[in-house]
Amino acid sequence: GYHRELFENVLEDHGGEPVSGLLLLYPSRVFHVLEGCSSTIHLVIRDLASLQSQGPSALLQDIKVLVVAHDIPTRLFPDWVVAVATSPMTWPSRTIQSQSTAEVIAECLTLGLKLAASVQSFEDDSEDATESIPTVEGELLIPAETINYLCKAEECTSPEDFLRTYLAPSQASLDSGTLWAV
């Protein structure tokens, strides 16, 4: 309901294009891939920052922005997909410490694309897709240790830190290392 209302407000107030992506609801985590124009993504991140600033009573806690990419020629997700995940599976013999954060994020997006395709086929087969949110389990789910790794990764910033960086004026340094006043 939170995301549906947020996206409706973005479309009404700012006339942006509709969003696409994946919202995967775990028992204690949310994995969210959002595709849209840069102003829509900025508004969503700003809303998440204000949500997180509510403290311990906020709907979502420990929010991380994994990737923001601009000027992507085509969307990866055809529509907005929501699914409830059973408990995230664990892979006890697998270690993700040897992978870079970028590789882990790419792996999550790959699993997300496969999961979205699977959920889309479920919704297409379902007679009343608007009333039920599909539940998914198995090898398409992002493993628990991967989600925990990304939540702790220093490269992934909070919405507040992302906005602070995004809105900060750039401070260009000349090759000589000296800046002259205008």
Side-chain angles (χ1 to χ4, degrees), residues 83-144:
V84 174
T86 58
S87 296
M89 58 187 266
T90 58
W91 294 342
S93 62
R94 185 169 176 255
T95 177
I96 57 173
Q97 306 325 41
S98 62
Q99 294 180 298
S100 70
T101 302
E103 291 171 326
V104 174
I105 291 170
E107 183 180 307
C108 288
L109 288 174
T110 301
L111 286 172
L113 285 169
K114 291 177 184 176
L115 179 65
S118 172
V119 170
Q120 280 296 129
S121 66
F122 169 81
E123 288 178 349
D124 293 342
D125 295 340
S126 175
E127 293 176 9
D128 193 12
T130 60
E131 293 300 319
S132 66
I133 297 176
T135 300
V136 292
E137 56 187 34
E139 70 278 351
L140 294 180
L141 291 180
I142 299 165

Side-chain angles (χ1 to χ4, degrees), residues 73-85:
T74 60
R75 292 186 181 207
L76 298 174
F77 296 87
D79 202 0
W80 178 245
V81 178
V82 179
V84 174

Side-chain angles (χ1 to χ4, degrees), residues 25-103:
L25 306 168
Y26 287 98
S28 63
R29 299 274 188 205
V30 174
F31 185 78
H32 187 185
V33 178
L34 176 70
E35 294 179 311
C37 63
S38 58
S39 62
T40 299
I41 292 171
H42 178 75
L43 286 168
V44 169
I45 292 174
R46 189 176 343 167
D47 193 75
L48 290 171
S50 69
L51 183 69
Q52 191 169 0
S53 69
Q54 296 173 2
S57 64
L59 174 65
L60 299 173
Q61 302 288 322
D62 300 325
I63 301 168
K64 294 289 187 166
V65 177
L66 303 181
V67 177
V68 174
H70 298 281
D71 298 327
I72 297 173
T74 60
R75 292 186 181 207
L76 298 174
F77 296 87
D79 202 0
W80 178 245
V81 178
V82 179
V84 174
T86 58
S87 296
M89 58 187 266
T90 58
W91 294 342
S93 62
R94 185 169 176 255
T95 177
I96 57 173
Q97 306 325 41
S98 62
Q99 294 180 298
S100 70
T101 302
E103 291 171 326

